[in-house]
Structure formats: C-alpha cells, structure tokens
Amino acid sequence: MSSLRGAGAFGAAAVLALTSGCGMLGIGAEEEASDEDRLIEMLNENSRISGELADAEFRIVQGCLEEQGFTVHDPWTAIGYESYEVESLAEYLPNEEFILDPEEAAEYGFGQWSNSPDGAEDPASEEYWTAQEEKWSEEEDEMGWEEPDTSEWDALTPDEQYDWYVAYQGEEYAEYANGTREDYNSMFSEEGMVEYSEEDLTEEELAEGEDGEIDIEGGYEDIQPKPAGCQLEMIEALYGESALKEEKEEEVGGEEGETYTYSYWTYRPENPMDSGDSTMYEDIEADIAQGMSDVQYEFLDCIEAKGHTGWEFTEWGSLPTWEFFASLYYQDASDEEREMWLGDSETELPEIPEAAGTTYEDWKAYEIQVAVDFAACGEETDYAAQEEKINTDVYVEVYSAFEGDVYAWQDEMRESLEKAQGLLGS
C-alpha cells in the first residue's frame, strides 16, 4: 500500500516493551503483589497500550495524508487517546460529595450558599470560587492535558479543511460529521449558517436531525458511514481488512414505543474488559450497595444523633446535599427559579427543620454546620475507608475474572504496535 510508505521514523517511546502480564510489576519472588496492585497495573497497562496504539494509528494516517499534500492536520483529531493512570480500583467514591475535609467544611460548608439568590452578593462568594478554581486547576495540571494549538489549522480555508476531512475518512464520513461542503463553508461566511424555512426543505431534509440523526417513523436512526480514505488504509494495513466491523444497536424508549437505532464502525480488537454488558455493571452496583448497607445505617445514626433527621442515601450511594440545600435557598423563589435549580428530581429530601432559620445568613450557617457534622460522622464511622475497601473488594472479584483474556489482548496489541513500527519506519 504505497500511500503508507515514507511516514517517518517511529520513536522508540511509541512502542511498548514486550513484557508479559505476570512480570509487569517488577516484583521479586520474595515480595508478592496484592490482588489490587496487580489489577491496577493491568488497568494502567491497558491505558498505556491504548494510548500508544492511538498515537501509532494517527501517525500512519498522517503519513498517508502528507503523501497527498496535506501537511497541516486538524489538531483535535491528532490528540488521539490520552492515557491515564489509576492509583486505586475505587477511583471515584460517592462519599467525596458529602464528606468533606473538616477545615473546608467549617469554612465553606458544601458551597451551595454561593449558588443561592443572595449568595451572589455575599463577599465570601468570590473567595470561595477562587479556591475552587485553584483546586480544579491543580487537578487539570495533574492530568497533564493541554489544549492544542489550532493556529495553523485555523489559517486554512474552509475548503482546504473539508478536503482534509475527505482525505482522512472519505466523502460520506466528512458529510456525516461536518455537513455538506456548502454547509461547512457557510459556517465561516459573514452571514454564518444559512437559515432555511420548512418550505425550503425537501421531505428528506426535514427528516434529518442533528449530527446525522434521521427521524424515521416510530423513532430515530443514526447510521455512521463506513470509514474510507487514509483511515481505512491504516485499518487494513495495521489490523487487516476483516477488522472493520459495523456495530448496530437499538435502544427502546421514548413515547409510543419509539426506538433509537444507531450504528458505528469498530476496527481495533476490543479489550475484553470493555465487552461486558450492562448487567455486569448493574451487578457491581448491587454488590457495592449490599456491602455498604450497614456502613450507611451507621452514618445515618450518627448524623441523626447530631439532629439531622430524614436523610436517605440515593441509589448511587450518595446523600442529596445539593438538592436539599437548593430547596432551602430557593424556598421563597418563584416557581420558575425553583424548577431551574431543582428540576423534576424525585429524590426524597429531608424536611427543612426550624433549626435552619429564616434568613440567608441563618441558612448559610446551617449549611456549614451540616457539612461539619457530616465530616465528623465520616471520621467517627471511618466511612471513607470502609467504602473504599468494599468497592475495592467488589472490583477485585470482577476484574480478576478478565485477567487471562486481558493479558492475551495486551500481547495481541503489542504485536500490532510492532507492526506499526515497521510501517512507520519503512
């Protein structure tokens, strides 16, 4: 396949060393890894391999495009897959929403006062949001993600950009993802997008929804075109022609038995851990809920002893602090404002107690006291540690069942990376 030659040397960092699943931790015979450590390393190896493959795939596509004269690439497409390392099998725990650091709880409560009608005028609001932004910024820095430089791409004309999309995935896919060439050009014209009345559109155009969705009798249909162009050449060269498969699924829902039918194309062999159906995750949630039952009752007893009655855990294992304090601060607001902040949530909320007071200052002080009491009960019941252990135990049991298949998949993907090295270095 001539268009894949001359793509440039492939850096050594782009291909992982061929290590076996059992030896990845580098742990000697005298020091055996825990089940959790071993599975965390397996997950991180999955992420590293997926990231290397995504990078290799786009480098091959890039070489194909550059042979056709496309030397500037859509930077958002070039980002590919950002690998991410986990440090725990229980990366997200619901208690983080309602059990705060004691110092933060004492200073800001849950922060809901800052979203209230009076909170905007509170001098402390600016300080609170500055602290939150600093926290988010630190988390983003830890992720190491940066927005790509789009200046070269933005300097291209709309036609040049559209030509790139056609060369990348084919004419049909370019139209599916970006609209027709005329529509794409109109987005950059002085007039902006062309506005049509229903009288100007054909029956077929009227049926078209956003992002390729088509309204059909009895539901909606979103059919992704088969990849073509340089992406198809990459798929065939790296994985073989038979790897490209159309996946079609149908979701039942909506009014009067409407269905949502959609299809998409896959080509990279699927990680066995991604092949589980929804019942697997439902079982995980059920096992965690069962394991957390006694811990949750213990926590509720603790906060009730501090005067906070009527609280119940949601099906996601959290407490509805956001909804409760929204109902507190917006109790005197218009129906429109209340609906905007509370929506149509059916979550059972505690009744607002007399202790909450009647003014904004009272309500804010009450929120802070609730946050402080929740934090104290979190420590008294050792809630976070217990939740982490229960979650970890459940995930260890589930993930252990996939180990053999996952290690085989990793070996297969390393072979694909070796093939990519050959294609890029030839």
Side-chain angles (χ1 to χ4, degrees):
M1 193 167 295
S2 61
S3 61
L4 295 175
R5 292 198 298 270
F10 188 40
V15 179
L16 295 170
L18 300 182
T19 56
S20 69
C22 296
M24 289 185 292
L25 287 170
I27 293 172
E30 71 284 353
E31 184 182 353
E32 187 176 349
S34 69
D35 289 339
E36 182 184 15
D37 289 339
R38 187 183 71 253
L39 293 169
I40 287 173
E41 182 60 25
M42 182 184 76
L43 294 179
N44 288 334
E45 184 73 352
N46 288 347
S47 182
R48 286 192 291 270
I49 287 175
S50 295
E52 297 287 357
L53 278 171
D55 180 66
E57 289 167 2
F58 190 77
R59 286 176 182 269
I60 293 171
V61 169
Q62 183 176 319
C64 169
L65 289 165
E66 289 180 357
E67 282 198 350
Q68 299 178 47
F70 297 98
T71 57
V72 177
H73 308 285
D74 178 353
W76 291 102
T77 305
I79 286 177
Y81 175 92
E82 292 287 328
S83 59
Y84 172 68
E85 289 201 356
V86 299
E87 297 178 355
S88 167
L89 294 184
E91 278 287 284
Y92 165 75
L93 295 172
N95 77 76
E96 295 170 7
E97 296 180 6
F98 60 92
I99 299 178
L100 308 180
D101 174 80
E103 290 185 8
E104 181 181 351
E107 188 167 7
Y108 300 122
F110 297 106
Q112 286 306 307
W113 51 270
S114 64
N115 292 316
S116 69
D118 297 301
E121 307 299 325
D122 190 331
S125 185
E126 183 176 351
E127 177 188 340
Y128 170 73
W129 285 113
T130 299
Q132 294 304 303
E133 287 170 7
E134 288 176 357
K135 184 194 298 185
W136 298 331
S137 178
E138 288 174 3
E139 291 174 357
E140 287 179 3
D141 290 342
E142 289 176 7
M143 292 288 290
W145 186 85
E146 293 183 6
E147 220 172 84
D149 179 5
T150 64
S151 55
E152 284 191 286
W153 175 259
D154 294 338
L156 299 179
T157 66
D159 267 324
E160 289 171 329
Q161 292 182 1
Y162 201 88
D163 287 340
W164 186 93
Y165 287 124
V166 171
Y168 171 38
Q169 292 177 299
E171 187 82 44
E172 276 190 85
Y173 206 106
E175 185 170 331
Y176 168 83
N178 303 287
T180 64
R181 185 181 292 270
E182 180 184 7
D183 289 340
Y184 193 77
N185 271 278
S186 73
M187 287 193 293
F188 298 90
S189 68
E190 292 182 5
E191 295 79 13
M193 288 294 290
V194 178
E195 294 185 5
Y196 299 100
S197 66
E198 291 194 2
E199 289 76 14
D200 296 325
L201 302 176
T202 66
E203 184 175 337
E204 181 180 349
E205 289 170 332
L206 280 171
E208 293 184 2
E210 296 181 0
D211 300 327
E213 285 188 13
I214 304 295
D215 293 348
I216 58 175
E217 186 175 349
Y220 303 89
E221 190 175 73
D222 183 5
I223 306 301
Q224 188 184 76
K226 180 180 179 180
C230 285
Q231 186 182 46
L232 179 60
E233 289 196 23
M234 176 275 293
I235 293 167
E236 293 177 341
L238 196 54
Y239 300 108
E241 186 177 353
S242 61
L244 188 62
K245 297 177 182 178
E246 184 179 22
E247 310 286 346
K248 193 164 185 177
E249 299 182 23
E250 187 175 271
E251 293 182 354
V252 179
E255 299 177 359
E256 299 179 358
E258 289 181 342
T259 59
Y260 176 36
T261 303
Y262 61 99
S263 72
Y264 55 95
W265 292 83
T266 61
Y267 57 86
R268 189 191 302 169
E270 185 178 44
N271 184 326
M273 292 191 67
D274 298 330
S275 63
D277 58 26
S278 60
T279 59
M280 180 182 79
Y281 300 103
E282 290 170 2
D283 291 342
I284 289 174
E285 291 175 2
D287 289 344
I288 291 174
Q290 182 177 358
M292 286 298 299
S293 178
D294 289 343
V295 186
Q296 290 174 350
Y297 279 124
E298 187 180 359
F299 184 86
L300 293 177
D301 287 343
C302 180
I303 62 173
E304 185 171 353
K306 296 181 185 297
H308 308 300
T309 60
W311 288 88
E312 293 183 10
F313 279 88
T314 68
E315 60 182 303
W316 301 283
S318 184
L319 288 175
T321 53
W322 189 93
E323 294 93 333
F324 173 76
F325 286 106
S327 70
L328 174 68
Y329 290 113
Y330 284 87
Q331 60 183 298
D332 299 325
S334 66
D335 290 341
E336 185 177 343
E337 283 183 304
R338 283 178 57 80
E339 184 176 354
M340 179 179 69
W341 284 98
L342 290 171
D344 56 356
S345 173
E346 296 181 0
T347 302
E348 289 290 332
L349 301 178
E351 291 186 9
I352 298 174
E354 290 185 11
T358 57
T359 68
Y360 165 72
E361 288 75 16
D362 293 338
W363 298 336
K364 179 180 177 182
Y366 179 71
E367 176 188 339
I368 290 174
Q369 186 60 55
V370 172
V372 167
D373 289 343
F374 278 24
C377 284
E379 291 185 346
E380 289 176 30
T381 61
D382 202 21
Y383 191 97
Q386 292 197 72
E387 184 172 52
E388 182 174 10
K389 183 181 186 310
I390 289 167
N391 275 260
T392 298
D393 289 347
V394 170
Y395 280 109
V396 164
E397 182 177 357
V398 172
Y399 289 167
S400 294
F402 287 94
E403 276 191 278
D405 291 337
V406 168
Y407 292 139
W409 174 85
Q410 289 177 355
D411 287 341
E412 183 183 357
M413 293 304 95
R414 292 189 190 100
E415 291 176 4
S416 295
L417 284 170
E418 281 194 301
K419 186 183 293 185
Q421 184 181 34
L423 290 168
L424 290 162
S426 58

